[in-house]
Amino acid sequence: MVAGIGNVYKSEVLFLAGVHPDTPASAVAQEALERIMDLARKLLQDNVVPGTPAAIQTYRSLRRTDRRSDPSDSLWVYSRAGQPCRRCGTAISSKKMGLDARATYWCQKCQPPMKNSHRLDTD
Ligand SMILES: [Zn+2]
């Protein structure tokens, strides 16, 4: 639902904003949308390291980093299906979404599905 940001960022940003990935953009409150875009900007800026290609690194402004080498250690939900949520301990969910079938990851407890909203397959 947030076009123009990468698949990793989409999962991460929706987690940080507490928005379920099935939530249609039209059903997301303006305030939450602004938060999502703000978070996306921060993540993208954080990942631009001078002299290196933009790559997924640690999210310095959003989370304490550590020295472990596994890049997924710096992610909240992406590529962590079945592992405990870093915030609440619930197993991370994942599913394939979109035409290119890349996986989206989310926490069912931190990102509850919206009630009374019909699903729109916009991405
Ligand atoms: Zn959670």
Side-chain angles (χ1 to χ4, degrees), residues 77-92:
V77 293
Y78 188 82
S79 174
R80 301 192 64 243
Q83 296 179 53
C85 172
R86 299 192 196 280
R87 190 175 278 168
C88 72
T90 300
I92 299 299

Side-chain angles (χ1 to χ4, degrees), residues 106-117:
W106 77 99
C107 170
Q108 288 185 323
K109 192 169 174 191
C110 296
Q111 299 161 261
M114 283 190 57
K115 287 172 186 162
N116 306 321
S117 70

Side-chain angles (χ1 to χ4, degrees), residues 2-122:
V2 180
I5 63 175
N7 199 47
V8 175
Y9 299 112
K10 188 173 74 173
S11 292
E12 293 293 291
V13 166
L14 289 176
F15 174 84
L16 290 167
V19 174
H20 190 278
D22 280 352
T23 310
S26 59
V28 178
Q30 185 63 31
E31 195 180 294
L33 269 182
E34 283 169 11
R35 184 144 182 256
I36 287 168
M37 294 321 292
D38 190 52
L39 287 165
R41 259 195 307 276
K42 281 186 180 142
L43 291 181
L44 291 169
Q45 284 166 1
D46 273 5
N47 284 298
V48 177
V49 178
T52 65
I56 296 152
Q57 295 294 335
T58 52
Y59 296 161
R60 286 180 299 241
S61 68
L62 294 166
R63 183 166 181 269
R64 272 182 240 107
T65 58
D66 53 46
R67 305 246 181 255
R68 285 177 288 179
S69 57
D70 183 349
S72 70
D73 280 350
S74 63
L75 300 174
W76 288 95
V77 293
Y78 188 82
S79 174
R80 301 192 64 243
Q83 296 179 53
C85 172
R86 299 192 196 280
R87 190 175 278 168
C88 72
T90 300
I92 299 299
S93 304
S94 75
K95 70 172 178 180
K96 305 282 188 186
M97 290 177 84
L99 293 172
D100 53 3
R102 285 181 299 185
T104 295
Y105 300 85
W106 77 99
C107 170
Q108 288 185 323
K109 192 169 174 191
C110 296
Q111 299 161 261
M114 283 190 57
K115 287 172 186 162
N116 306 321
S117 70
H118 52 273
R119 169 88 193 268
L120 291 176
D121 262 313
T122 53

